[in-house]
Amino acid sequence: MKLIECPRDAWQGLNAFIATKDKIDYLNRLLQVGFDTLDFGSFVSPKAMPQVSDTALVVEGLDLAKSNTRLLAIVANARGAAQACSIEKIHAIGYPFSISDTFQIRNTNASMEQSVVRLKEISTLCMEHGKELVVYISMGFGNPYGDPWSPTIVGEWVQKLSGFNIRTFSLSDTVGLAQPDAIAALFTELIGTYPEIEFGAHFHTKPEEWKPKVTAAYQAGCRRFDGALLGYGGCPMAQDDLVGNMPTERLIQFGQDEGELLNLDLDLLETCKAQFSTLMQGV
């Protein structure tokens, strides 16, 4: 079971800026906990996301010498991907591809068809620089805009995008719409159809709804899960203050109950939780 910790998703929408040195200090502690991957920053427009405008400075301060955790950065276009690919410390590049044209335009200022062109360019850059490309299927379980969605549509886009040598997709319940039956059905179908591809789960959820979602994905064969400590963050478009990121501590609890060997430093994790809570309360 792979756990991807996503502080970037937790703090990217905050109005008050977290000092770069505080981000570096926190992320360096997280790097010692033992997560598979740290979704630590974004190379996107500073006007769109001021909170992550210091990502290039942050990565300079990160110490990977005694950590096996991989760094993942989110990009929204080829220019951001080129910048991320030029940094040796970064292992993976993430691109949000929405199964909703409305959200894709809001999120990346590009339509779905324009994003296909971008993804092709980004895939080429990743292959040239030896980076993994992770595609997040945003609005993967439906959307609030009335845009067309169905499991068949999701499958068709996975088939099309996998042609760009993409081998990791993360299905995102962006606004907390997914029901357990739909989660189970979609993961079962995709994992069975594309055994060579790794499918992950990036769930946004209300506090009381986390477990059925994780259980449905896990029982369908998913072993890659994104979370954020204490459930901070989520989608600004959700229009529901109770919908946040999947709390990482819940994923850890679930993995332990399932007998997964997570190999995490849980004492250090508690220190990180306290530090993160202080950071977030300060803004």
Side-chain angles (χ1 to χ4, degrees):
M1 185 171 171
K2 292 183 180 179
L3 295 184
I4 289 77
E5 175 62 17
C6 304
R8 181 274 317 166
D9 200 13
W11 62 41
Q12 68 178 2
L14 296 176
N15 292 322
F17 189 76
I18 299 173
T20 301
K21 62 180 181 61
D22 291 337
K23 291 173 185 166
I24 291 172
D25 183 52
Y26 174 63
L27 293 172
N28 273 327
R29 280 196 173 90
L30 276 182
L31 282 168
Q32 302 305 315
V33 172
F35 292 109
D36 179 87
T37 302
L38 206 59
D39 177 352
F40 81 101
S42 301
F43 292 91
V44 296
S45 166
K47 290 183 179 180
M49 288 290 179
Q51 189 65 246
V52 292
S53 61
D54 60 347
T55 293
L57 294 174
V58 168
V59 74
E60 286 182 9
L62 299 185
D63 183 5
L64 303 181
K66 297 181 181 180
S67 175
N68 292 321
T69 298
R70 294 150 38 89
L71 292 180
L72 180 148
I74 299 296
V75 304
N77 53 42
R79 181 173 61 181
Q83 186 179 4
C85 282
S86 71
I87 299 173
E88 185 177 353
K89 289 180 180 179
I90 294 175
H91 303 88
I93 310 298
Y95 183 85
F97 185 91
S98 178
I99 308 298
S100 160
D101 213 42
T102 302
F103 188 73
Q104 190 66 43
I105 292 169
R106 291 187 180 190
N107 201 32
T108 64
N109 197 31
S111 68
M112 292 169 69
E113 290 298 338
Q114 288 171 322
S115 289
V116 171
V117 176
R118 290 185 180 185
L119 260 179
K120 187 174 182 180
E121 296 172 345
I122 293 169
S123 176
T124 298
L125 285 167
C126 287
M127 286 188 287
E128 290 174 349
H129 290 84
K131 310 293 188 185
E132 178 188 9
L133 177 54
V134 180
V135 172
Y136 292 84
I137 302 294
S138 303
M139 300 291 173
F141 298 90
N143 63 82
Y145 312 115
D147 290 344
W149 178 91
S150 70
T152 299
I153 291 174
V154 177
E156 288 172 348
W157 278 110
V158 168
Q159 181 181 35
K160 183 172 184 175
L161 299 179
S162 65
F164 299 151
N165 199 39
I166 298 166
R167 293 296 175 265
T168 308
F169 289 86
S170 189
L171 305 182
S172 300
D173 183 16
T174 315
V175 289
L177 293 173
Q179 297 299 311
D181 287 350
I183 292 170
L186 191 51
F187 273 104
T188 298
E189 174 66 22
L190 291 175
I191 291 172
T193 304
Y194 303 98
E196 74 282 6
I197 292 176
E198 180 179 43
F199 289 97
H202 184 103
F203 293 143
H204 294 171
T205 183
K206 293 181 179 179
E208 72 277 9
E209 295 176 355
W210 75 269
K211 192 169 185 179
K213 296 184 178 187
V214 176
T215 300
Y218 185 87
Q219 291 181 348
C222 177
R223 292 297 182 270
R224 177 190 177 103
F225 291 89
D226 289 11
L229 285 175
L230 304 173
Y232 277 112
C235 178
M237 307 293 185
Q239 298 177 341
D240 187 337
D241 291 340
L242 296 179
V243 175
N245 274 301
M246 176 64 65
T248 300
E249 54 271 26
R250 297 300 193 188
L251 292 173
I252 293 171
Q253 173 189 338
F254 182 88
Q256 290 172 329
D257 290 345
E258 292 295 329
E260 293 279 351
L261 299 177
L262 301 176
N263 296 318
L264 300 176
D265 185 334
L266 297 180
D267 290 334
L268 180 56
L269 183 67
E270 288 302 312
T271 300
C272 289
K273 283 173 62 178
Q275 183 181 4
F276 192 48
S277 180
T278 300
L279 272 181
M280 300 299 277
Q281 290 173 8
V283 296

